[in-house]
Every structure is written in C-alpha cells, then in structure tokens.
Amino acid sequence: MKVEAVELRTLSMPLVSSFRGALGAETERELLVVRVIGPESEGWGECSALGSPLYSPEYVAGALAVVRDHLVPRLAAHAPEPTADQVAAALSPVKGHRMAKAALEMALLDAELRARGQSLASYLGATRASVPSGVAVGIAGSTAELLDTVARYREEGYLRVKLKIRPGWDVEPVRAVRERFGDLPLQVDANGSYSLADAAHLARLDAFELLLVEQPLPEDDLAGHAELARRLKTPICLDEPITSARAAADAISRGACRVVNLKAGRMGGYLEARRAHDTCTALGVPAWCGGMLETGLARAANLALAALPGFTLPGDISASGRYWHQDLTEPFVLGPDGHLPVPAGPGLGTAPLPEVLAQVTTSVTLLRWGS
Ligand code: NPG
C-alpha cells in the first residue's frame, strides 16, 4: 500500500487495579501505538512491550527507538509500497524486537484490510463469531482477597480463571480457590519463577484438577520443562519461549509442553501467530491466546486470532472493564454467555477514540515515509 507517514505515540493509561504477578506491580500501563498513514487508508498497531523490561527485554522507550531508527527506515527502503506480509522478511536482519515488529506489521495489516473491506478475523481464517473469555488474577494480598476477586469475576461471567503463582504463593491459595469453586476451569501461571528442584512441590498442584500450569521454569529451560512434565500430571503450557512457529514445534517435540500460549507480540506479529496456530493444530496441541494488558486495539486483533479453530481453550482476553475505566476504543463487553464478540468490521474493526487518545498520549513522533 502507499504510505505517507508513520505516527508513533507513547501512551500512559491507568489500570483499574494494579496487576501483581511475577512481573511486579503495574498501576499505569505505558505503551506504544503505531499508526500507518496512507492516501487511501490508515491503520493502527499496538506494541505489547511494557514500560519496563520485566516480562521481556523489550520496553516502550526501546520499542519506540527501534521502530523509529531501524524498522521504519529499513522497511521503507526495502518495500516503498509495503504489504503486511513483507514486513517479517524485510525486517529479519534486525535481531529480536519482535513486539516492535509486530506493532508495525499490525498497523499495515489493519490499513490494508480496511482498504479492501475485509475483517482481520476473516483474513486470518477465523471460524467463530465470539470467543469464550478468561481472566487472569494477579498475586493477592491475602487468600480472602483472592477469593473475593475470583468470586467477582465468576459473577461477571468469566468462564475460566488463571491465577498467578510464585514461590510462597501457590499450593494454599490454589487449594482455597478450588475448595470454594469446585467446578471452575482453573489454571496457574508462574512466569518462570520456579526451578526443577521445586518439582515435588509443584506436583502438589496435581490435586486441584488444573487445566495447565504455565511457564513454571525460566524461559531458556526447555530440558527442565521436559523433565518436569514427566513428574507432573497437570499439563505444562509454555509462554515466554514460544517466539515463533518453529519454537512452538521444537518445544512440543521435546516434550516440554502439551499446551501452548500464543501471543502475537511475542512472536513478531499476527501472521507468525497464525503459523504457530497451524503448527499446534497439525501436532494436535491445544492453543490459547495470551494477553498483555492490551487496549481495545490489540484486544480486537487478539479476538480475531482466538477465533481460529485451534484455539480450543479460553484465553486471557477479558472485557475492557477488567483493565480500564476508559478503554482506548469502544469497550469490549462480556456477553451473558461469558463470550466476547469477534469484531466483524474491516481491519481491526475498531480504532482509537480521538478524545481518549489525546488524553492518554505522552509523546508523538511523526516519521515521513522514505525520508
Ligand atoms: O488479561 O491481558 C491480560 C493479562 C494476562 O496474566 C496475563 N498476562 O504473563 O501472560 C502473562 C501476563 C502478562 C501481563 C505478561 C502483562 C506481560 C505483560
């Protein structure tokens, strides 16, 4: 498509409640959004990097710098009229920075699909009009507080709950939730905070009929996960190390996981996420769509992705109200059946509300295409 300019905005959005996990306590979500502007169409991309490099090496200021100084100039030189499916190859000489690359690809995809009137869901191959919604619960101050939070989310209609765990906050809180909510589809996420020496302790979680335990060990320990898998009944799911379709195939073939969390940002974009989905489907491995405290922009794209047939478990895609008093887009609202609607309009099917965007913007950088 013809591109005239790329606008980069950093935003700061207050979260409804602080999100405490192995990643620290976030109360404000800093983020970067990318807007591709052309004569016929424009599109929006959201970078999932956090304000600080606590989940991945990427973070907002770094992502802004790499998009501005490397990704946009390189893409403009390589493909003066780029299409979204050229982005990954054109930017492959730049190592890493997958979340930044994903944001640029997402913006081009949105612009392209808008121009031809096709929804992202239909482009990706979605087979559902709505997807079941799960919710992630951070480390609570006490078990009583955790039970209250889970009860509230149950009442709101969420269909499965993911509890963050870490050493010192695991078996007892999980037991308390399971005792109180006997039939609740439940899973846990450790963000890599255990070691193989904790295997016997982690095996105590087998008593609670969890759907899965996510990322118990550090991300570079596939062999450890394969060993742990032999000692647990609960399926292991990987998150952080799944950086591509190939990484997913590798982790599965080594026996390091039986379930995969797919996050487009972590994999360099929605096109690679779709390939990873296809890989999981071919290998008979259930996938689900992860979340990174996104605004309505990436939530829209995640809903499109999660509507593919291989996403057989509810993802971390909650309603806007779980995160924001005021979302960047029209809010996503949970239906009475605990599902969220997959946007059907062209491209992402949504866009930032101008007055909200203006309110939460902390910086604007305008780059002319090809200069
Ligand atoms: O619902 O968006 C959500 C949050 C789900 O727990 C969640 N995400 O480790 O997967 C994770 C965690 C996360 C949050 C990761 C923020 C990175 C940033």
Side-chain angles (χ1 to χ4, degrees):
M1 67 169 272
K2 279 202 175 64
V3 178
E4 289 169 343
V6 176
E7 184 187 87
L8 307 178
R9 278 178 189 256
T10 54
L11 314 182
S12 180
M13 295 181 47
L15 286 157
V16 162
S17 56
S18 92
F19 191 80
R20 291 212 301 150
L23 309 165
E26 293 269 320
T27 52
E28 283 285 310
R29 177 66 158 105
E30 311 291 324
L31 72 143
L32 171 72
V33 294
V34 177
R35 178 185 179 195
V36 168
I37 304 162
E40 280 112 40
S41 180
E42 67 169 43
W44 292 89
E46 176 171 336
C47 178
S48 49
L50 300 174
S52 307
L54 296 177
Y55 168 80
S56 77
E58 292 188 79
Y59 64 105
V60 172
L64 172 68
V66 82
V67 176
R68 181 191 61 211
D69 299 341
H70 297 281
L71 304 187
V72 166
R74 188 170 280 272
L75 184 60
H78 182 94
E81 293 190 11
T83 55
D85 61 5
Q86 293 172 328
V87 173
L91 300 182
S92 64
V94 176
K95 304 300 176 213
H97 297 286
R98 291 187 180 84
M99 294 175 186
K101 292 174 179 176
L104 187 53
E105 183 195 84
M106 175 177 164
L108 277 166
L109 201 48
D110 183 31
E112 243 170 76
L113 292 171
R114 265 176 215 280
R116 57 172 203 255
Q118 185 179 13
S119 72
L120 178 62
S122 117
Y123 174 79
L124 291 175
T127 52
R128 287 173 287 183
S130 69
V131 299
S133 182
V135 65
V137 180
I139 307 284
S142 66
T143 303
E145 188 192 308
L146 175 69
L147 291 173
D148 283 352
T149 305
V150 174
R152 184 159 44 81
Y153 287 141
R154 281 288 269 174
E155 268 160 38
E156 287 178 24
Y158 288 104
L159 297 174
R160 78 90 171 106
V161 169
K162 156 167 141 178
L163 303 179
K164 290 283 182 180
I165 58 167
R166 66 181 176 203
W169 180 263
D170 45 34
V171 175
E172 291 318 317
V174 174
R175 182 197 309 282
V177 171
R178 177 48 85 216
E179 277 173 3
R180 167 99 173 263
F181 307 95
D183 57 348
L184 171 66
L186 190 63
Q187 63 195 53
V188 296
D189 180 8
N191 286 107
S193 55
Y194 292 87
S195 78
L196 198 51
D198 299 311
H201 182 69
L202 289 169
R204 295 175 63 201
L205 294 170
D206 283 342
F208 308 123
E209 289 180 71
L210 302 178
L211 291 166
L212 55 93
V213 51
E214 183 179 355
Q215 201 62 47
L217 308 181
E219 63 183 272
D220 59 359
D221 194 4
L222 282 191
H225 282 102
E227 176 56 34
L228 185 61
R230 286 189 276 276
R231 304 207 215 159
L232 298 190
K233 281 203 302 259
T234 310
I236 290 179
C237 169
L238 291 182
D239 171 9
E240 283 89 332
I242 309 301
T243 50
S244 64
R246 188 166 55 231
D250 183 42
I252 294 164
S253 71
R254 289 171 190 236
C257 63
R258 280 197 275 152
V259 183
V260 174
N261 167 343
L262 295 178
K263 285 179 179 160
R266 199 232 283 132
M267 287 185 286
Y270 286 88
L271 302 184
E272 185 64 15
R274 179 177 56 183
R275 281 190 281 277
H277 158 273
D278 297 347
T279 300
C280 291
T281 303
L283 297 173
V285 168
W288 57 278
C289 183
M292 290 187 58
L293 308 176
E294 285 95 354
T295 78
L297 285 179
R299 192 165 315 286
N302 284 345
L303 285 166
L305 181 68
L308 269 64
F311 286 87
T312 53
L313 291 169
D316 285 343
I317 315 179
S318 311
S320 295
R322 152 72 181 87
Y323 314 92
W324 320 109
H325 295 293
Q326 171 68 68
D327 204 337
L328 191 58
T329 61
E330 290 295 342
F332 286 91
V333 179
L334 209 56
D337 58 353
H339 282 55
L340 285 170
V342 177
L348 297 175
T350 191
L353 300 168
E355 53 304 344
V356 180
L357 183 65
Q359 229 169 55
V360 298
T361 295
T362 51
S363 77
V364 185
T365 309
L366 191 68
L367 308 171
R368 225 164 267 295
W369 190 251
S371 68

